[in-house]
Amino acid sequence: MSTTAPSEQAPLTVADVVDILRRAAPPELAEPWDSNQLICGDPAETVRTVLLAVDPLPPVVDEAIETGVDMVITHHPLFLRGTDHVSATTAKGRSIHRLIRAGIALANAHTTWDCAAGGNADALATAVGLTSTTVLSPSSADPALGIGRVGR
C-alpha cells in the first residue's frame, strides 16, 4: 500500500489576501472620495488568520491582538481622508501603532464592497427578501453594479 502526502500549498501573504479582496471588490467600483486599500502591513508577510469587522475601532484592534490574527479586514477605512500624521496621541494613531507592533495587517473594502456583485447591497437585499432587484446608484465603471438595491 502506498501513501501520498497531501500537497502543500504556499502560505498566503498579505499581498495575496489583498489581491483576493480586490478581485471580489474591484478598485474601479470605488467612489472617487473613498478609501479602499491596504492601510498597514507588509505585503510579504504570511497570513494564516483574518479577523473581519465593520469598523477598525479600538475593541477590534484589541481582539485582533488578543487572538493573534495576522490580518484585519474592515468595511470602513481607518482614514477616510488623507492624514499628515499617525501619532499615537490619537485613537487612530494608537490603533496603527498597536497593529504594526503586533505585526497585524489592516485592509478595507468600503464602497468597492458596497458595489460589488455579491457584496453588501446584494447580501442585504437577499437577507430582507427583495426580488427583482436593480441597482440604486450605478457605478460608472460597470452600470450593472453599484451602491444600493431596489426591488420587490
Side-chain angles (χ1 to χ4, degrees):
M1 174 165 118
S2 73
T3 60
T4 305
S7 65
E8 291 195 25
Q9 287 185 307
L12 289 175
T13 64
V14 169
D16 294 330
V17 174
V18 169
D19 184 55
I20 292 165
L21 187 60
R22 298 307 170 231
R23 280 187 272 137
E28 59 271 11
L29 295 177
E31 291 294 313
W33 50 264
D34 197 19
S35 175
N36 299 266
Q37 61 187 329
L38 177 63
I39 298 162
C40 71
D42 181 343
E45 287 295 316
T46 298
V47 175
R48 294 171 308 277
T49 55
V50 175
L51 173 66
L52 302 175
V54 174
D55 291 296
L57 297 172
V60 171
V61 173
D62 293 343
E63 182 176 347
I65 293 168
E66 289 166 11
T67 59
V69 300
D70 301 306
M71 186 168 190
V72 176
I73 299 173
T74 61
H75 178 57
H76 295 126
L78 182 62
F79 301 105
L80 187 55
R81 291 168 183 53
T83 186
D84 62 359
H85 71 283
V86 290
S87 168
T89 59
T90 67
K92 290 180 179 186
R94 279 188 296 282
S95 290
I96 286 289
H97 282 262
R98 293 182 67 218
L99 289 167
I100 291 171
R101 277 195 298 267
I104 300 171
L106 173 63
N108 80 291
H110 188 213
T111 56
T112 57
W113 194 241
D114 288 334
C115 293
N120 288 342
D122 284 338
L124 289 170
T126 298
V128 299
L130 285 182
T131 60
S132 305
T133 60
T134 58
V135 174
L136 180 64
S137 178
S139 166
S140 60
D142 183 345
L145 301 174
I147 294 176
R149 300 293 182 269
V150 294
R152 293 184 180 162

